Amino acid sequence: MVLLAVGCSPALHPLYRDYEVQVSSDTVHARLEQAFTDAGWTLVESVAPNAIATAPRQLSNWGLYKVTVQ
């Protein structure tokens, strides 16, 4: 009975031992700009200083209309 209880008990170590939070000195704004750039977006000047703006980008063309986002 003791052997069965030990086999069903949860492990004492965390499940995701390889997960580590990396502390960055960059601001959230700088990290978001880098993420947009890495994803292929073109950054443009924004109206507000605390906003991030991208150039228009066409996602799809449905024939009757185009889906353009920015």
Side-chain angles (χ1 to χ4, degrees), residues 23-58:
V23 179
S24 175
S25 62
D26 294 338
T27 63
V28 173
H29 198 273
R31 290 187 301 185
L32 286 172
E33 285 180 344
Q34 185 63 43
F36 276 116
T37 304
D38 291 346
W41 290 88
T42 304
L43 299 178
V44 295
E45 189 69 31
S46 63
V47 177
N50 62 345
I52 299 172
T54 61
R57 184 175 177 179
Q58 184 175 335

Side-chain angles (χ1 to χ4, degrees), residues 14 16-26 28 31:
Y16 303 105
R17 288 181 285 180
D18 60 342
Y19 179 77
E20 182 179 332
V21 177
Q22 297 178 357
V23 179
S24 175
S25 62
D26 294 338
V28 173
R31 290 187 301 185

